[in-house]
Structures are given as C-alpha cells and as structure tokens.
C-alpha cells in the first residue's frame, strides 16, 4: 500500500500542485512569523543587554507612603548618594542619571521621530562611557547639547549647528556640541536622544539636585552580587533599593519577549486562518482524487485490501504532500521573515542589527503544521472512500451521498448555526470584556454551521443568478448546472473565500462604526475650536494656557488638569477646569441639576455619582494631594463619554493643593473659528514649539482615521494570504472538475459548442462560485460587525452602526475578479481538449 500511495502521488503531480501551494503558503506564513518575531526579539534583547554594559548594580529610590490622606512620593537620590556609591571598595565608577522628555525639530521645524520616543538625559562629566562621542566634546550649560548619530544623520545636523527644541516648556535653541552613538532602543525604533550636562538636565527636567537612578560599575574581579552587598551596607535602606545589572537585563529580556508574544500571536492567528482555508482545498483535492480512483480502490478492496489499508494509502499520499509543502514553506518562511525585516526599515521602524533566527522550534512547527493539516484534511475523504462497498464502487464512478447523510449534515449545520447565533446574541447583552469570549465562541460555531449548510444554501443562492446567466445562452445555463452539480465541492470552494471576506467585512464595519462614533462624541461634547496638548501625551505646563490667553483672537480657554484625591478612603482623579469658561467650551447632556463649576461646586459623571450615591445637591468631603480636606457640593450630574469623565472642579479650588499643577490638554475658543491662519497664529504664540500639538476637531478625526486605516490595511494585507489560498482553491476545483468532465466537454464540442463557449462556461461557473462565497462572507461579516459593535456600544453612548456600502461593493467586485482570474487556466485547458480523445475518456 505504501508503494501504491507513492505511485499515486507521482501519477497526480499536477493535480496535487495546488494543494502543495496552499499548504506551503500557510506554512510559510507560520514559519515566517516565527522567524521574524524570534529575530526581532533576539536583536532587541541583545541590544537591551548592551545598555547594561556599564551597569553592574542600579540604585533606585524607594517609594515613601504619605501620612494620612497625603499622597506618597519617591525618595530623592542626591549627589551625596552618588558619591557614597562610588566610594564603596568594589565600585569602579558611579554615574547619576537623569531622564526626561525632549522634543527636537528638524531644519524644517518638524518633530523628529515619534513624541513617545523622543527622550533626553544627562552626559556625565567630560567623558561618559555610556555614550561614545563620534565628534565634538561634552556639553556645557543649557546652551549646548549632544545628539545621537541617527538623529544627526536623519536631520542633517553637525557639530556647531543650532537646534530648535523643547523640554516640557519654552522653546530652546542650543548649539550641537557633539554627536554620540547609542544602543538605546527608542533611538533604534526611530526616536531621538538629546543629552545635556548634568546640572542643566536636572534643571530642565525639574529635578534640581536629584537623580532618577545611580548606575554603578564594578571593578575588575568584583561580581555584581558582591558589589550589591557592599552598596546595601553603605547606603540607607529606607531611601534606596538596589538591583543587579544581570537582573535588569533578564527582566528587560522577559519584557521584550512578553511584548513580542502579542505580535507573534496576532500574526499566527492570520496564519491559522490561511491554513484553515487551505484545509478546504486539501479536502476538496483528495475528495476529487478519491472519486476519480473509486474503481481502482474498489478493485484493491476486492483483491484483499482492508478499509484501514485504503484509508492508510490516502493518508500516506497526504503525508508526502504535507512533507513537500512543509519543506517549501519553511524555505519561503525564512524569505518572508527577511522580507518583513526589510519592510520594517522602509516604514521608518528600523530593526536592530542581528542575524535571522531559525530556531529548532520554527523548523519543528513548519513540519508539524504542514503534515498535520494535510493529513487531517485528507482523513475524511480517505475514510469515506474506504466505506464504499466494492460492488457499488465498480458500478459507478461517483457514489452519490445518501439521503440519511444529507439529512444528518443539514441537521448538524442548522444546530451549529442556531447555537452560534444564540451565543453571539447573548454576548451582545454582556458588558465589556465579559462578552468577548462568548462572542468568539459563537462566531466559530456560526461559521462552522454555515460551512456545513453551504451545500444546502448553494442551490437557492446560485439559482437566484439564473436570470443573469440566461443572458449568456447555453454557456450560462451549463455554468449554473455545473455549479450545483456537486454541492459539497462548490461549498468547500466557496467557503474558502467566504472566511476571508467575513473577516475583512467585519473589520471594515467595526472600523467605520467606531470612527463615526468618535467623531460624534467629539462633535457633541466639545465646543472648543482647538485642543492643545503635548505630542507624547505628557502634561503641559500651566504657562501654555497663559500664553494662549494672550494670543490675538482667543476668546476663551480652559485646562483639563488631572489631579489625585481621595473620597471616602477611595482613590479618585479630579479634572480641574476653568469654571468661568468651561460652559463655552463643552456641552455635556445633563442627567440632573445644572452644569455649574466654581468655588465649592462641582459636577460629576453618572457612574461616579452612582458609585457614591450622589445626586444634584449632595455634599461630600474630598482629601487633596497635600492631605487638606475640602467640602464640595454636587451642582449637577452629566453624561460622560470617552473624552471626559469623573469629577470636574474649578482650578481656583484645586491649584492651592497641587505641588506641580499640570494640564493634559488646553481647550481654546477663538473669535474666527478654525482656519489655517488661526492655527498658525496659535502655534506662533507658543513659539512654534515642536513638543506641542495644536489640533482642531478635523485634525483629531484625521488622526483617529489614520490609526483605523493603518490597522485595516494591516488586516487586509494579512488576510490577503487567505484570499490567495482561496483563489488557488477555485483554480484547483475548476481544473479537476474539467478533468472529470472531459468526456462531457468533448460531447458538447461535438454537438456544436465552440471553444469560446467552453471558456465562457468555465469562467461563468468560477464567477458564480466566487460570488456565492462572497455573498455569504459579506452577510456573516456584517452580522459579526454589528454584534461586536453592540458589545462596544454598551460603553460608548455615541456608537452607531455604519455599513460601508462602497467598500462592500468593492469586495464583491474583487470576488468577481478573483473568479474570473482563477478560471483563466482551467478555461483555456478545457477549450483545448481534443474532442475525440475527450469523448473516449472515462
């Protein structure tokens, strides 16, 4: 049986090619994902380890709990602690480090890199071993800085150039004193690193005389644990804590691996979808191959082969096909991993240098996935073939499905579908993350149910296309009949395309609906013309609002000032606003009372009011950050949204209790509304600061839309693999269908159907099957998009379902194009059949 299986593989090389390609693509996606993520993780871990080359022990401040209702704070690392660390016997050097945010502009005034990755720090003394100088010298005073070599190259800066920059405050224009190299991960990811001398860094970052960390390097022959012991004895334990560089590197490596696991799992999900789609092709291929060899298998049964041997011979064929596909997929996967690395570079997200990592786990996964998926998909056709009685198999080429099997299949499909719909609908009534797992389960049940029911659905849906197909005459009629001749085969082919379009449509519906809801949220609650914030999401200096108030044309401003407080022993966050102007800048629907903020009067959102049992007129006592208590009155209860929620209090009542007031955002209203000229004037009033973003409602909408578009494009790109596999399935099905119908096609040619008619017949058949799968996919995608939206809508009052009719029309058109393209080779092959030889074919 083993030799027979190998001969069958050799005899059907062309027919198995599409199956090999389908499995190969899925395996390539899996192995490419593993190669890429393992390589990226390895490179980041090695780069991170380099950052600890000069840190054998890190000394960090301890957290000190506040007394009573006071907020706790970190202890200070002083210069005396740095000197004490350097003085221990095993220390070769101790460096006090200062870190903060620094935004540096290019020569056009635009921020370099992402705001979240634009960092600043201090250069220790005249020669800091952490940052080797490429050119120039150490900085002196606030008027001089060092910049990293990647930023210098990207912006075209050299030693002696004047740079425009900001450090959480006014615009500075220091001179570049030198350029250094660094292994900092933020710089490798496209950010920037700017260094000042230590005194200037402490002043600019608001840490006068203090350090964020002390990096201690051990002398030769002294271990990091021995140095740690010496430091713990020399330094006050209630002020500092110590960690070895090895522990820091291990923790960082673990954090990198953990962060990479999300990316890896996400990519593997899409690889799994491709493989799942590929199983339909494999099952289809082996079903057709087994059907074509029914008499051969019956003869083998007649001469003594058992059912197990017949099934085993099919599985051996699948094993050979899976092994070949796994090898090819692994090789292709290494190429994909290398390609993704290069792509990261072109997208301004350069990867750290490092080799491609092809681990034994990747190799094992490729073979397990390729062989296992192929054999599982081939098992059912092999088992079905073994169950056909030899006499029945010898009397007919195709054994038709029994009524009992069809009833069982349709019953199971209906049960799975009903269960899936019920679970999904139940999940829409749940709150937050509680409904995610049930909705995922319901989606799987429904997709499986629809797949099982697809043969039943194919007849009425394809019959609906009959009026259109009649336009094409005999070819159209034959195409319709061929499409429903073998419903199981049609279903398996269409289902491959259905799954891809289900996911694409569902994601598109969700993205469009969320975009609309966020736009409505901003439009309904915010009356301000502009919102001013830091590009990295950090707090703004209160001076920013003062500068905006002095700007020409500004009629009203209010900060959104976050503060920490305690109510009834529970932690609460306050939002400080300008009580006199907040009414002009926002418009919140009120559930109770009036929107009045000023003095001891505050407004709270519905959730907060409900949790404390408050209503309009309720009084409560609040403990501020400094421990001082204040009695406040609820003037009104408003309906919150994702932008603003919690307790809104006047800044005049809040600021006396804040040690360092900071604004997350400043809302601005102008006499002339929004325009490019007004926006430019506001930016100039703030000194064209690269660290500050001035955005109107359209800017915020575009930023959100850009994020959704990026995510959608990534999803489309990842799901393209599944669609390509589905196209291979259509090609495979049509090619083998043409082979089966060779005699029939020869007879049609003999009675007058020309080659163009044969081509048209095959193309229309492919078109009908593709559109059938597309219609099912669009329907399921809209349902899942609606259901997911209901889950999200429970937390977003402005959520609104948006059906992207234009995009869905494009998806339908693309499915039609897929059908036409997939039919080109099978149609050409059918048209070129020799009619006499075809008529004689069995």
């Amino acid at each position: 049986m083993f030799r027979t299986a190998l001969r069958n593989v050799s005899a059907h090389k062309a027919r198995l090619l599409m199956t090999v390609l389908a499995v190969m693509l899925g395996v390539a996606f899996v192995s490419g994902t593993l190669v890429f993520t393992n390589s990226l993780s390895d490179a980041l871990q090695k780069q991170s380890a380099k950052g600890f080359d000069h840190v054998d022990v890190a000394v960090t401040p301890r957290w000190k709990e506040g007394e009573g209702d006071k907020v706790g704070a970190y202890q200070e690392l002083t210069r005396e602690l740095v000197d004490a660390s350097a003085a221990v016997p095993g220390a070769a050097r101790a460096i006090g480090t200062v870190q903060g945010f620094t935004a540096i502009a290019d020569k056009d005034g635009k921020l370099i890199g992402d705001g979240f990755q634009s960092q600043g720090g201090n250069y220790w003394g005249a020669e800091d071993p952490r940052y080797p100088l490429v050119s120039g010298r150490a900085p002196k005073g606030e008027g001089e800085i060092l910049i990293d070599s990647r930023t210098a190259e990207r912006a075209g800066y050299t030693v002696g150039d004047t740079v425009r920059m900001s450090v959480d405050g006014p615009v500075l224009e220091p001179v570049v004193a030198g350029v250094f190299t660094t292994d900092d991960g933020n710089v490798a990811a496209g950010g920037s690193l700017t260094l000042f001398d230590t005194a200037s860094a402490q002043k600019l970052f608001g840490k006068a005389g203090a350090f964020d960390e002390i990096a201690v390097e051990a002398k030769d022959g002294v271990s990091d644990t021995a140095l740690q012991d010496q430091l713990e004895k020399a330094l006050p334990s209630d002020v500092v804590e110590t960690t070895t560089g090895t522990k820091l590197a291990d923790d960082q490596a673990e954090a990198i691996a953990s962060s990479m696991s999300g990316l890896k799992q996400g990519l593997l999900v899409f690889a799994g979808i491709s493989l799942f789609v590929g199983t339909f092709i494999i099952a289809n291929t082996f079903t057709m191959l087994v059907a074509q060899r029914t008499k051969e298998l019956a003869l083998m049964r007649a001469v003594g082969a058992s059912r197990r041997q017949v099934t085993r011979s099919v599985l051996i064929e699948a094993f050979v096909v899976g092994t070949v596909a796994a090898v090819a997929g692994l090789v292709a996967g290494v190429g994909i991993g290398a390609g993704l690395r290069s792509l990261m570079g072109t997208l301004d997200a350069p990867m750290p240098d490092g080799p491609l990592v092809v681990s034994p786990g990747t190799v094992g996964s490729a073979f397990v996935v390729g062989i296992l998926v192929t054999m599982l998909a081939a098992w059912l056709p092999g088992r079905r073939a073994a169950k056909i009685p030899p006499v029945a198999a010898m009397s007919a080429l195709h054994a038709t499905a029994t009524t009992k099997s069809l009833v069982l299949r349709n019953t199971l499909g209906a049960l799975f579908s009903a269960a899936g719909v019920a679970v999904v609908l139940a999940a829409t009534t749940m709150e937050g993350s509680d409904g995610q797992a049930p909705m995922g389960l319901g989606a799987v049940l429904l997709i499986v149910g629809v797949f099982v029911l697809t043969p039943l659905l194919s007849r009425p849906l394809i019959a609906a296309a009959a009026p259109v197909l009649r336009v094409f005459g005999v070819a159209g009629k034959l195409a319709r009949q061929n499409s429903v001749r073998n419903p199981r085969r049609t279903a398996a082919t269409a289902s491959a395309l259905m799954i891809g379009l289900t996911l694409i449509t569902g994601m598109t519906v969700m993205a469009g609906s969320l975009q609309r809801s966020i736009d409505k949220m901003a439009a309904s609650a915010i009356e301000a013309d502009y919102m001013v914030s830091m590009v990295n999401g950090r707090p703004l200096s209160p001076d920013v609002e003062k500068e905006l108030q002095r700007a020409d044309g500004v009629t009203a401003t209010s900060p959104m000032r976050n503060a920490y407080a305690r109510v009834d022993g529970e932690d609460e966050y306050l939002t400080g606003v300008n009580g006199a102007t907040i009414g002009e800048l926002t418009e919140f629907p009120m559930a109770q009372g009036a929107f009045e903020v000023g003095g001891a009067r505050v407004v709270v959102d519905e959730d907060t009011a409900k949790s404390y049992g408050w209503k309009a007129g309720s009084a409560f006592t609040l403990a501020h950050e400094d421990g001082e208590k204040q009695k406040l009155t609820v003037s009104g209860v408003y309906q919150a949204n994702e932008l603003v929620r919690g307790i809104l209090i006047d800044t005049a009542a809040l600021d006396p209790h804040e040690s360092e007031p900071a604004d997350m955002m400043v809302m601005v209203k102008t006499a002339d509304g929004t325009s490019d000229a007004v926006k430019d004037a506001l930016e100039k009033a703030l000194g064209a600061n690269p660290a500050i973003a001035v955005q109107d409602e359209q800017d915020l909408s575009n930023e959100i839309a850009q994020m959704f578009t990026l995510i959608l494009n990534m999803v489309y790109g990842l799901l393209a693999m599944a669609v390509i596999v589905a196209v291979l399935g259509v090609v495979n099905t049509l090619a083998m269908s043409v082979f089966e119908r060779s005699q029939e096609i020869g007879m049609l040619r003999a009675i007058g159907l020309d080659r163009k008619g044969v081509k048209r017949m095959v193309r229309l058949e492919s078109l009908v099957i593709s559109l059938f799968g597309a219609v099912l996919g669009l329907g399921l995608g809209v349902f899942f998009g609606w259901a997911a939206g209901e889950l999200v809508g429970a937390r977003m009052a402005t959520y609104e379902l948006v059906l992207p009719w234009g995009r869905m029309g494009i998806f339908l058109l693309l499915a039609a194009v897929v059908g036409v393209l997939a039919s080109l080779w099978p149609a050409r092959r059918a048209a070129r059949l020799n009619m006499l030889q075809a008529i004689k074919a069995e």
Side-chain angles (χ1 to χ4, degrees):
M1 296 302 292
F2 180 74
R3 289 196 297 270
T4 302
L6 292 180
R7 281 199 297 270
N8 282 325
V9 172
S10 178
H12 300 119
K13 290 190 293 290
R15 292 180 230 173
L16 289 169
L17 177 61
M18 294 298 175
T19 299
V20 171
L21 286 174
V23 180
M24 184 199 77
L25 285 173
V27 171
F29 206 158
V30 171
S31 53
T33 294
L34 294 175
V35 168
F36 170 67
T37 53
N38 288 342
S39 300
L40 180 57
S41 180
D42 180 72
L44 287 173
Q45 287 178 17
K46 288 180 178 177
Q47 184 183 66
S48 173
K50 290 181 181 178
F52 298 105
D53 284 350
H54 299 284
V55 183
D56 289 308
V57 178
V59 179
T60 53
R62 283 192 181 276
W63 175 263
K64 183 180 180 182
E65 295 291 343
E67 298 178 2
D69 287 321
K70 287 187 177 181
V71 179
Y74 281 104
Q75 299 278 19
E76 275 196 355
L77 295 181
T78 61
R79 183 63 190 239
E80 288 74 21
L81 289 173
V82 176
D83 294 339
S85 300
V88 300
R93 180 189 295 109
I95 297 174
T97 66
V98 186
Q99 297 174 342
F101 167 71
T102 301
I104 181 168
D106 59 20
K107 292 184 176 180
D108 295 324
K110 303 297 182 182
L111 177 69
I112 295 176
D114 188 336
F116 292 94
Q117 296 167 331
S118 301
Q119 303 296 319
N122 67 311
Y123 190 82
W124 187 259
E127 186 177 349
D128 192 328
R130 300 172 298 166
Y131 307 113
L133 290 174
V134 176
S135 59
R137 55 169 176 78
K140 298 177 181 178
E142 293 181 33
E144 293 185 348
I145 60 169
L146 300 180
I147 59 176
D148 66 271
S149 56
R150 293 195 186 195
T151 298
E153 182 180 355
R154 190 167 19 166
Y157 286 131
T158 58
V159 174
D161 287 345
T162 299
V163 175
R164 193 174 185 80
M165 62 176 295
S166 173
V167 182
D168 285 351
V171 174
L172 305 174
E173 293 188 342
V175 173
V176 177
V179 177
F180 63 91
T181 60
T182 178
D183 293 315
D184 187 279
N186 288 318
V187 174
S192 62
L193 179 60
T194 309
L195 302 178
F196 302 86
D197 68 73
T198 298
S200 299
Q202 289 174 323
K203 178 182 177 182
L204 291 169
F205 296 145
K207 300 167 184 175
F211 299 90
D212 293 304
E213 183 180 291
I214 302 172
V216 186
E217 190 174 350
K219 291 179 179 178
D220 292 340
V222 177
S223 68
D224 53 3
T225 53
L227 178 60
Q228 183 181 28
D229 290 339
Q230 294 177 11
L231 288 168
E232 287 179 346
K233 292 175 182 177
L235 303 177
S237 60
D238 59 331
V239 176
V240 303
E241 55 186 351
T242 62
T243 310
T244 64
T246 303
K247 178 68 165 56
L248 290 173
D250 291 342
D251 290 345
Q252 186 75 11
E254 187 176 339
I256 290 170
S258 177
S259 64
M260 292 301 301
S261 67
L263 173 64
K264 183 184 296 185
Q265 289 172 6
L267 292 173
L268 287 176
V269 165
F270 289 98
I273 292 168
S274 298
L275 284 166
F276 184 57
V277 171
T279 58
F280 297 141
I281 299 175
I282 302 164
N284 239 1
T285 302
F286 278 94
T287 298
M288 288 184 278
L289 286 175
V290 167
Q292 291 165 13
R293 289 162 42 207
T294 302
K295 288 186 177 181
E296 174 191 327
L297 294 174
L299 183 60
M300 291 171 61
R301 290 286 312 283
V303 297
S306 66
R307 286 186 178 184
R308 286 188 178 180
Q309 286 178 312
V310 171
T311 304
R312 197 179 301 134
S313 70
V314 175
L315 292 178
I316 291 171
E317 292 179 47
F319 176 81
V320 174
V321 170
T323 302
V324 172
V327 173
L330 178 61
V331 174
V334 174
I336 289 175
L340 286 173
R341 278 174 50 124
S342 300
L343 182 63
M344 292 279 285
T346 61
L347 295 176
D348 292 330
M351 276 187 58
D353 294 332
L356 279 177
V357 178
V358 184
S359 66
T362 300
V363 176
S365 298
F367 280 94
V368 169
V369 168
I371 296 171
L372 195 61
V373 167
T374 309
M375 293 184 69
L376 284 176
W379 175 76
L380 189 58
R383 184 171 177 271
R384 190 183 299 136
K387 291 175 68 175
I388 300 174
V391 175
M394 289 207 180
S395 61
L397 180 62
H398 301 289
T400 58
T402 64
T403 303
K404 180 181 177 182
S405 68
L406 291 175
V407 170
L408 179 62
R409 180 185 181 112
N410 293 337
T411 303
L412 286 174
L415 289 174
F416 270 100
S417 299
V421 171
V423 173
V424 169
L425 292 178
T428 61
T429 64
M430 299 179 183
E431 293 186 3
S433 59
D434 293 341
Q436 292 178 2
M439 186 164 290
L441 174 62
V444 172
L445 289 174
L446 181 54
I447 288 176
V448 171
V450 171
F451 169 65
V452 175
L453 282 177
T454 306
L456 180 66
L457 297 173
S458 64
R459 290 187 179 276
L461 290 178
I462 291 176
V468 178
L469 292 174
R470 287 196 194 102
V471 176
F472 298 95
V474 175
K477 182 179 180 181
L478 290 171
R480 183 180 65 80
Q481 292 174 345
N482 290 333
S483 300
V484 295
R485 175 183 294 185
N486 192 328
R488 288 184 173 179
R489 183 185 304 172
T490 298
T493 306
S495 295
L497 196 58
M498 175 192 79
I499 291 172
L501 282 177
T502 295
L503 296 169
I504 290 173
T505 305
M507 290 295 296
T508 304
V509 170
M510 276 293 297
S513 300
L514 285 171
Q515 174 71 49
R516 175 73 61 84
S517 67
I518 292 172
D519 288 347
K520 283 179 63 179
M521 184 190 302
S524 62
I526 305 298
E527 294 292 313
D529 294 318
Y530 290 96
M531 280 149 283
V532 180
S533 59
M534 293 289 287
V535 294
N536 66 338
R538 290 168 63 93
L540 283 163
S541 166
D543 293 336
V544 171
E545 186 192 10
K546 296 175 183 177
E547 293 293 333
L548 290 168
Q549 288 172 341
R550 290 194 286 267
D552 293 337
V554 173
T555 59
T557 66
S558 174
M560 301 293 284
R561 185 168 298 167
N562 285 2
Y564 172 82
R566 294 179 69 85
V567 178
D568 294 342
E570 298 292 331
D571 294 342
E572 284 292 340
Y573 282 92
L574 310 178
T575 300
V577 297
N578 186 329
T581 61
I582 189 65
E584 300 177 53
L585 300 165
T586 60
E587 186 177 352
F588 290 102
M590 298 300 294
Q592 297 177 31
F595 194 90
E596 296 178 6
V597 180
R601 299 180 67 80
V602 300
V603 293
V604 300
D605 68 289
E606 290 177 298
D607 290 341
T608 303
K610 183 179 179 180
S611 65
Y612 290 104
W614 296 337
K615 58 184 179 180
S618 296
F620 66 95
T621 301
L622 176 145
H624 286 282
E625 179 183 345
D626 60 357
E628 293 291 323
K629 294 184 178 180
Q630 183 178 18
K631 191 170 184 179
L632 301 172
T633 302
V634 178
S635 62
V637 178
Y638 67 93
Q639 295 177 13
N641 58 37
E642 297 299 311
L643 298 177
V644 181
R645 60 177 60 246
I647 302 173
L648 303 188
I649 184 172
D650 196 344
T651 52
L654 176 65
D655 288 355
H657 306 283
E658 296 293 302
S659 57
E660 294 181 5
D663 303 333
M664 295 308 298
M665 178 191 299
V666 176
M667 293 183 285
V668 181
K669 198 166 186 65
T670 63
D672 298 327
T674 59
S675 68
D676 291 340
V678 173
K679 184 176 181 180
D680 288 342
L682 292 177
E683 289 176 342
K684 287 178 181 177
L686 296 173
N689 195 321
I692 298 176
V694 179
Q695 297 176 300
D696 59 20
E697 185 181 312
Q698 188 59 47
D699 292 330
L700 289 173
S701 178
N702 291 341
E703 186 176 315
I704 294 166
Q706 185 178 12
M707 177 183 68
F708 282 131
T709 301
L710 176 63
I711 293 172
L712 268 183
N713 288 339
M714 288 176 62
V715 171
Y716 290 163
L718 293 168
L719 287 175
M721 187 72 75
V723 175
I724 291 171
V725 174
V727 172
L728 291 176
V730 178
V731 175
N732 200 26
T733 299
L734 289 174
M736 301 192 75
S737 180
V738 166
F739 177 82
E740 284 183 359
R741 303 200 317 256
S742 295
Q743 190 179 59
E744 175 188 320
I745 292 171
M747 290 294 294
L748 290 171
R749 290 288 315 282
I751 61 176
L753 189 64
D754 59 11
R755 290 187 173 183
K756 286 186 179 179
V758 172
K759 285 184 178 181
R760 190 178 301 118
M761 176 186 71
V762 177
R763 287 172 185 164
L764 289 173
E765 181 183 349
S766 176
L767 183 63
V768 166
I769 293 173
S770 297
L771 289 176
F772 170 50
V775 168
L776 289 179
L778 290 174
L780 286 173
V782 169
F783 176 70
F784 291 139
W786 166 82
E790 288 294 302
L791 199 61
V792 173
R795 291 177 292 174
M796 294 181 69
T798 56
Y799 185 83
E800 175 187 348
L801 178 67
V802 175
L803 295 181
W805 295 108
R807 289 207 176 189
M808 288 196 294
I810 292 173
F811 296 157
L812 203 60
L813 180 62
L814 288 174
V817 171
V818 163
V820 172
L821 293 177
S823 68
L824 292 179
W825 177 62
R828 183 168 178 268
R829 182 182 178 191
R832 294 182 65 183
L833 285 175
N834 183 293
M835 70 176 74
L836 294 179
Q837 291 179 354
I839 290 171
K840 291 190 297 181
E842 291 189 8

